Amino acid sequence: MNVSHTSAGATGLRLRRLGIDTYQQSVVYLRADAPLVRSEGFEAQSRLEVRHLLQPQRRVTATLNVVHTALLAPDEIGVSEAAWRALGGAEGDAMVAEHAPPLVSFGAIQSKIFGRPLGRDAAGAVVADIAAGRYSDIELAAMISACSGNRLDEAETHALTVAMIAAGQRLHWEGPVVADKHCVGGLPGNRTTLLVVPMVAACGLTIPKTSSRAITSPAGTADAMETLAPVALDLPALRRVVDRTGGCIAWGGAMQLSPVDDMLIRVERPLGLDSDGLLVASILSKKAAAGSTHVLIDIPVGRTAKVRSMEAAGRLAQRLVNVGRQLGMTVSVEMTDGEQPVGRGVGPALEAADALAVLQSQPDAPGDLRRRALLLAGYLLELCGKAAPGSGLVMASNALSSGAAWRKFQEICEAQGGMRTPPRAPYTRALCAAHAGRVAAVDNHALACAAKLAGAPKAPAAGLVFHAPLGTVVAVGQPLLTLHAESPGELAYAMAYAEHQEHLVTIVEAP
Amino acid sequence: MNVSHTSAGATGLRLRRLGIDTYQQSVVYLRADAPLVRSEGFEAQSRLEVRHLLQPQRRVTATLNVVHTALLAPDEIGVSEAAWRALGGAEGDAMVAEHAPPLVSFGAIQSKIFGRPLGRDAAGAVVADIAAGRYSDIELAAMISACSGNRLDEAETHALTVAMIAAGQRLHWEGPVVADKHCVGGLPGNRTTLLVVPMVAACGLTIPKTSSRAITSPAGTADAMETLAPVALDLPALRRVVDRTGGCIAWGGAMQLSPVDDMLIRVERPLGLDSDGLLVASILSKKAAAGSTHVLIDIPVGRTAKVRSMEAAGRLAQRLVNVGRQLGMTVSVEMTDGEQPVGRGVGPALEAADALAVLQSQPDAPGDLRRRALLLAGYLLELCGKAAPGSGLVMASNALSSGAAWRKFQEICEAQGGMRTPPRAPYTRALCAAHAGRVAAVDNHALACAAKLAGAPKAPAAGLVFHAPLGTVVAVGQPLLTLHAESPGELAYAMAYAEHQEHLVTIVEAP
């Protein structure tokens, strides 16, 4: 019920930061015996609009938690960290709270649940309200459920993507070709971005790459790059780096490109729901907002990867290409082997070290990572018209073997604020083969979990080095992987986990 | 990730009640720098299983909120009110926390979202996990979204109903016929239960009626009855009352009849999602758990009621009757006029007063409430075979006019713990007609909101008395309704709201 016409909510409340991290959903806390709670008919879980008394444009929509103890004074309004960030201000600032206005756009989600398609205007209104923080977590969960199970058709996917682009910043670059790459994910390691960007930039392409930090994985590209150079660039800094070097590898989070995507991912992940439509909107909205014109998308396909069959990969690819075309982007999809990690390192610094080894053409550099990066760089060069069809791989190989890619990478790091040496973990321990044989399967999920328990990505040196790719013939006691940690406790904890995962590395009798 | 095989979570944490009401979802609070948070890889929104170190069977699944301030000590675990109730225990008790085990049953919800039907075993597993508090709010929202929009067929509805019955207590009564009635709701007032129960009990039926408190309305049947007699009876007390009088009007909440229904309603309401399947499972699981054999269901149909068309009412009725039959219950549906309130009072004590006036055959008793109660009682008497077809209304009328129903009601109140006089509100104020004419429409929602803003149901005397049913010819300044409140502030607040609702009562020029 919207009662904003009355002044009962205008009693000043004193702002109090409680330091509670409720993740992205804003929560406010009021005493059960606060006069406002009774006069407004507030209840636990009421959605409130809270604003500064003197600066009413600084406001947030939040869920109410009622407090029955002296945690708060009756005239205080406690706020969660997300609400504190959204409101700004200082402790003790005078605030007002009232019932949030009705969330009109949610009607389109209710309609979608009842089978009616999500129109263009409705998609715009839904995304604008999500961007403004007006959707509660359960409303987001309903929205995601309504769109999952392939319930979004191509027109709806396009409408959502357009709305998600409009809800954030959009970058513009000079020149007709702005290259980009993206990996759908699900494989540990596989840090090809750190190689593809300097390779294609060395060949003269413009590739202003923005990446995410880890959400549920042991490292995101931004986490790995951060062990080599600063990544939290603002827009002017990003432009300077790209103007000077042709490329960058920056963290996209500072740039508010398709912020709604991040808000949806936060609820999608714990629900384990995926949807081609939402995934396509997520990827393409980020790419379009970044100003990319030619995008190569890597879809690893494997039994424990994110995409598990060629059929599923084919459907996803078709949708990416079609919606990309409607947005004016040239999108190409490469399906790659997703049965095992790519490279040896899993974790920010260990993945960075793999990339450095390839760039420096070290003899022990991981060959699978090198091959995959060359393949993707070659395709991207062809997609962007920089290399003739069939000659991209040679061009990329030359950039690598000549040292041009390595020099370009150093240039980019210097331009981003100075190159760093990745940290090394003080504590390491090997997990060894319990019996001899041949490696027949690798559980990508379990490897990622072990690396996370060792401390990645928060502890940048933590993670693991994987020694046993498919087909490796191992003797009893031979190391399968080495865990790296920054504390003995985390090392022990990750080891206990890894030792109990029967399917982490499956070893069969060698023929 | 399930890491319960390690002992890292076994470091004792001290239990601390924070007094925060997060509604039914359990939340626990840990300091960001607590050793356990890092060693277990806990993050904001992680789902944890928390238990007493010495009594591990006392446990709860809860969502983590991370605390960055001195609100908690590093070795304390703060708990919300729901978690505190679920865990029991005392401040300072030693607790352990670890990652909650994977929620396997949610796979069936994901499958349902992808279009696969919810099987009987899957429905059982989902409901058992919800009953155990293992579903987070966003998981409940996904479950409800998956089942809404008429996506549940009859078999799925039946499976969910059976599972919901099994998740709670079930009452058993002697004798082959146990009568019950239920109203789908959505109309202010309409407190027919207080009349139907004594009428049919006076005619010799067994009717152990359990009712709910208000969820979003100004009064539930249990709230209204509580102004006349105690309603929070435990099972032995309920049996004594029914054995002695043949009926009761008790609060069902103390009896754990289909508790999952209550948990779903809590998330369904803010989402505004309805589903014939979930509604049928909700109603029939409660009735079957209460041991009812013959159930009359009142569906008010009106433009601002819960069910808005005869077509929708017909579909719902068919599903109720069919699923009821599969459960071995005889279910009959009566569709009634849902265009305006029934009776004059809206709010616990005011609705009780209406019922008393009818039972005592007072000359000014509301005729519409009297007629509707007689109609329903008559149907129920016929449905249960107590009255011959066509003679139920006469039998019910005799019970009322002879005083037998009034004596039976007093008996029931005495057996429930003693009859009370409903309180009267100290503050009242009339809302008057701004112009003359004839009442052409009434907004049930707005009336309910006004009664709630006046303090109902928390303030039992609060609410409103409605003077202007459809067709009433009013003069300028004639009272349309009188607000009742227990405080001057609430009265003013409700009045401000009512005065601004243009469509509360629509008055057209009289012909």
Side-chain angles (χ1 to χ4, degrees):
Chain A
M1 101 194 60
N2 181 5
V3 288
S4 57
H5 56 275
T6 78
S7 60
T11 325
L13 292 161
R14 289 184 298 124
L15 181 62
R16 168 109 178 264
R17 180 183 189 174
L18 285 176
I20 297 176
D21 181 358
T22 55
Y23 214 24
Q24 286 176 18
Q25 175 170 272
S26 288
V27 175
V28 295
Y29 304 83
L30 286 171
R31 275 270 289 264
D33 55 358
L36 187 68
V37 168
R38 182 135 180 205
S39 70
E40 291 272 334
F42 291 159
E43 297 168 327
Q45 301 303 94
S46 286
R47 293 285 287 171
L48 307 191
E49 188 171 271
V50 179
R51 58 179 192 269
H52 287 266
L53 182 61
L54 302 177
Q55 294 167 282
Q57 78 284 5
R58 288 163 66 185
R59 58 179 65 204
V60 70
T61 306
T63 294
L64 176 64
N65 281 187
V66 173
V67 174
H68 296 275
T69 56
L71 201 66
L72 287 174
D75 68 336
E76 285 181 325
I77 182 162
V79 296
S80 71
E81 290 299 279
W84 174 260
R85 286 190 298 269
L87 284 167
E91 298 259 7
D93 278 4
M95 313 296 293
V96 291
E98 57 188 18
H99 284 280
L103 188 64
V104 177
S105 72
F106 192 71
I109 299 303
Q110 294 167 328
S111 294
K112 176 70 190 162
I113 288 173
F114 275 80
R116 287 185 285 280
L118 191 63
R120 187 173 274 253
D121 292 347
V126 167
V127 168
D129 277 339
I130 295 174
R134 295 193 194 101
Y135 272 55
S136 67
D137 279 358
I138 60 169
E139 287 157 345
L140 286 173
M143 185 271 185
I144 289 162
S145 302
C147 296
S148 295
N150 297 323
R151 290 230 177 81
L152 292 180
D153 65 18
E154 199 168 292
E156 292 173 296
T157 304
H158 178 242
L160 263 183
T161 310
V162 168
M164 285 165 70
I165 297 166
Q169 285 212 53
R170 189 159 188 180
L171 309 187
H172 296 279
W173 304 96
E174 282 176 35
V177 175
V178 179
D180 209 340
K181 73 155 294 260
H182 181 83
C183 179
V184 165
L187 283 195
N190 202 21
R191 203 51 62 206
T192 54
T193 294
L194 269 48
L195 302 170
V196 172
V197 169
M199 284 178 193
V200 304
C203 297
L205 282 181
T206 301
I207 182 162
K209 180 80 181 86
T210 54
S211 299
S212 59
R213 295 191 188 279
I215 301 169
T216 61
S217 70
T221 293
D223 300 311
M225 182 66 183
E226 198 168 35
T227 69
L228 295 164
V231 294
L233 310 180
D234 59 15
L235 190 50
L238 188 87
R239 287 201 178 280
R240 270 198 310 275
V241 174
V242 177
D243 286 347
R244 195 183 306 171
T245 70
C248 71
I249 304 171
W251 174 49
M255 252 153 284
Q256 290 285 307
L257 306 174
S258 188
V260 165
D261 177 41
D262 301 330
M263 301 165 94
L264 291 178
I265 286 173
R266 175 178 64 86
V267 178
E268 271 169 55
R269 297 286 166 121
L271 291 179
L273 287 174
D274 49 29
S275 143
D276 279 3
L278 287 179
L279 185 58
V280 167
S282 165
I283 294 171
L284 295 185
S285 65
K286 279 266 181 0
K287 295 301 158 198
S292 309
T293 61
H294 292 67
V295 184
L296 179 68
I297 295 171
D298 174 13
I299 305 185
V301 184
R303 284 166 294 174
T304 56
K306 188 162 178 175
V307 177
R308 301 187 176 200
S309 73
M310 288 306 284
E311 292 69 32
R315 279 196 304 273
L316 179 59
Q318 193 63 57
R319 180 69 63 89
L320 282 163
V321 170
N322 290 354
V323 176
R325 187 186 306 121
Q326 292 175 58
L327 296 167
M329 289 191 288
T330 303
V331 175
S332 181
V333 173
E334 180 62 19
M335 296 176 205
T336 55
D337 174 15
E339 289 293 335
Q340 59 178 339
V342 177
R344 287 192 285 264
V346 179
L350 294 167
E351 293 175 25
D354 274 359
L356 284 186
V358 172
L359 284 168
Q360 297 168 349
S361 296
Q362 293 174 12
D364 63 341
D368 58 342
L369 179 65
R370 183 177 191 277
R371 280 189 298 278
R372 189 161 302 192
L374 284 171
L375 193 78
L376 295 173
Y379 278 121
L380 191 52
L381 287 165
E382 294 176 16
L383 184 70
C384 294
K386 184 59 75 176
S391 69
L393 184 58
V394 172
M395 187 183 277
S397 298
N398 287 342
L400 188 61
S401 57
S402 68
W406 169 227
R407 286 190 299 275
K408 179 58 75 179
F409 187 77
Q410 291 170 289
E411 253 182 64
I412 291 171
C413 288
E414 289 309 320
Q416 288 191 191
M419 190 156 181
R420 303 163 174 169
T421 303
R424 293 178 61 91
Y427 304 96
T428 63
R429 197 163 144 203
L431 178 76
C432 298
H435 55 92
R438 192 176 48 76
V439 174
V442 177
D443 185 332
N444 291 317
H445 288 301
L447 274 184
C449 277
K452 284 162 67 182
L453 289 173
K458 274 186 212 161
L464 60 85
V465 177
F466 182 61
H467 310 297
L470 294 173
T472 307
V473 174
V474 295
V476 176
Q478 184 176 329
L480 300 173
L481 57 86
T482 305
L483 289 164
H484 288 230
E486 294 188 6
S487 77
E490 285 167 306
L491 187 70
Y493 194 55
M495 195 67 193
Y497 170 81
E499 284 175 343
H500 282 81
Q501 294 298 309
E502 283 177 37
H503 301 294
L504 191 78
V505 178
T506 304
I507 298 171
V508 297
E509 221 167 298
Chain B
M1 102 193 58
N2 181 5
V3 289
S4 57
H5 57 273
T6 77
S7 59
T11 325
L13 293 161
R14 289 183 298 123
L15 181 63
R16 170 110 177 264
R17 180 183 190 175
L18 285 176
I20 297 176
D21 182 358
T22 55
Y23 215 24
Q24 286 178 18
Q25 175 169 272
S26 289
V27 174
V28 295
Y29 303 83
L30 285 171
R31 275 271 288 263
D33 56 358
L36 186 68
V37 168
R38 182 135 180 205
S39 71
E40 292 271 335
F42 290 159
E43 297 167 327
Q45 301 303 92
S46 287
R47 293 284 287 170
L48 307 191
E49 188 170 273
V50 178
R51 58 178 192 271
H52 287 267
L53 183 61
L54 302 178
Q55 293 167 282
Q57 78 285 5
R58 288 163 65 186
R59 58 179 66 203
V60 71
T61 305
T63 295
L64 177 64
N65 280 188
V66 173
V67 174
H68 296 274
T69 55
L71 201 66
L72 287 175
D75 68 336
E76 284 181 325
I77 182 163
V79 296
S80 70
E81 290 299 279
W84 173 261
R85 286 191 298 269
L87 284 166
E91 298 259 8
D93 278 4
M95 312 297 292
V96 291
E98 57 189 19
H99 284 281
L103 188 64
V104 176
S105 72
F106 193 71
I109 299 304
Q110 293 167 330
S111 294
K112 176 71 190 160
I113 288 173
F114 275 79
R116 285 185 286 282
L118 191 64
R120 187 173 273 252
D121 292 346
V126 167
V127 168
D129 277 338
I130 294 174
R134 296 194 193 101
Y135 272 56
S136 67
D137 279 358
I138 61 169
E139 287 158 345
L140 286 174
M143 186 272 184
I144 288 162
S145 302
C147 296
S148 295
N150 297 322
R151 290 231 176 81
L152 292 180
D153 65 18
E154 198 168 292
E156 292 173 297
T157 305
H158 179 240
L160 264 182
T161 311
V162 169
M164 285 165 71
I165 297 166
Q169 284 211 54
R170 189 158 188 180
L171 309 187
H172 295 280
W173 304 95
E174 280 174 38
V177 174
V178 178
D180 209 340
K181 70 152 300 250
H182 181 83
C183 179
V184 164
L187 283 195
N190 202 19
R191 202 52 61 207
T192 54
T193 295
L194 269 49
L195 301 170
V196 172
V197 169
M199 284 176 193
V200 304
C203 296
L205 282 180
T206 299
I207 183 162
K209 180 82 182 85
T210 55
S211 299
S212 58
R213 295 191 188 278
I215 301 169
T216 61
S217 69
T221 293
D223 300 311
M225 182 66 182
E226 198 167 34
T227 68
L228 295 164
V231 295
L233 309 181
D234 59 16
L235 189 50
L238 188 87
R239 285 200 180 282
R240 269 197 310 276
V241 174
V242 177
D243 285 348
R244 194 183 307 172
T245 71
C248 72
I249 304 172
W251 175 50
M255 253 154 284
Q256 290 285 307
L257 306 175
S258 188
V260 166
D261 177 42
D262 302 329
M263 301 165 95
L264 291 178
I265 286 173
R266 176 179 62 86
V267 178
E268 272 170 54
R269 297 285 168 120
L271 290 178
L273 288 174
D274 50 30
S275 144
D276 279 4
L278 287 179
L279 185 58
V280 167
S282 164
I283 294 171
L284 294 185
S285 65
K286 279 262 173 22
K287 296 300 158 198
S292 308
T293 62
H294 292 68
V295 183
L296 180 67
I297 296 171
D298 173 12
I299 305 184
V301 183
R303 284 167 295 175
T304 56
K306 187 162 179 176
V307 176
R308 301 187 177 201
S309 74
M310 288 306 285
E311 293 68 32
R315 279 195 303 273
L316 178 59
Q318 192 64 57
R319 181 69 63 91
L320 282 163
V321 170
N322 290 353
V323 176
R325 187 186 307 120
Q326 291 174 59
L327 295 166
M329 288 192 287
T330 303
V331 175
S332 181
V333 173
E334 180 63 20
M335 296 175 204
T336 54
D337 174 16
E339 290 292 334
Q340 60 179 338
V342 177
R344 288 191 284 265
V346 179
L350 294 167
E351 294 176 24
D354 273 0
L356 284 187
V358 173
L359 284 167
Q360 297 168 348
S361 297
Q362 293 175 11
D364 63 341
D368 57 343
L369 178 66
R370 183 178 192 277
R371 280 189 298 277
R372 188 161 303 193
L374 283 171
L375 192 78
L376 295 172
Y379 278 122
L380 190 54
L381 287 165
E382 293 177 16
L383 184 70
C384 294
K386 184 60 76 177
S391 69
L393 184 59
V394 172
M395 188 183 277
S397 298
N398 287 343
L400 188 60
S401 57
S402 69
W406 170 227
R407 285 190 299 276
K408 179 57 74 179
F409 187 77
Q410 291 170 287
E411 254 181 63
I412 291 171
C413 289
E414 289 308 320
Q416 288 191 191
M419 192 157 179
R420 303 164 174 167
T421 303
R424 292 178 62 92
Y427 303 96
T428 63
R429 197 162 143 204
L431 178 77
C432 298
H435 55 92
R438 191 177 47 78
V439 175
V442 177
D443 185 332
N444 291 316
H445 289 301
L447 273 184
C449 278
K452 285 162 66 182
L453 289 173
K458 275 187 212 160
L464 60 85
V465 177
F466 182 62
H467 310 298
L470 294 173
T472 307
V473 175
V474 295
V476 176
Q478 182 175 330
L480 299 172
L481 56 85
T482 306
L483 289 164
H484 288 230
E486 295 188 6
S487 77
E490 286 167 305
L491 187 70
Y493 194 56
M495 196 66 193
Y497 171 82
E499 284 175 343
H500 282 81
Q501 295 298 309
E502 285 178 36
H503 301 293
L504 191 78
V505 178
T506 304
I507 299 171
V508 297
E509 221 167 297

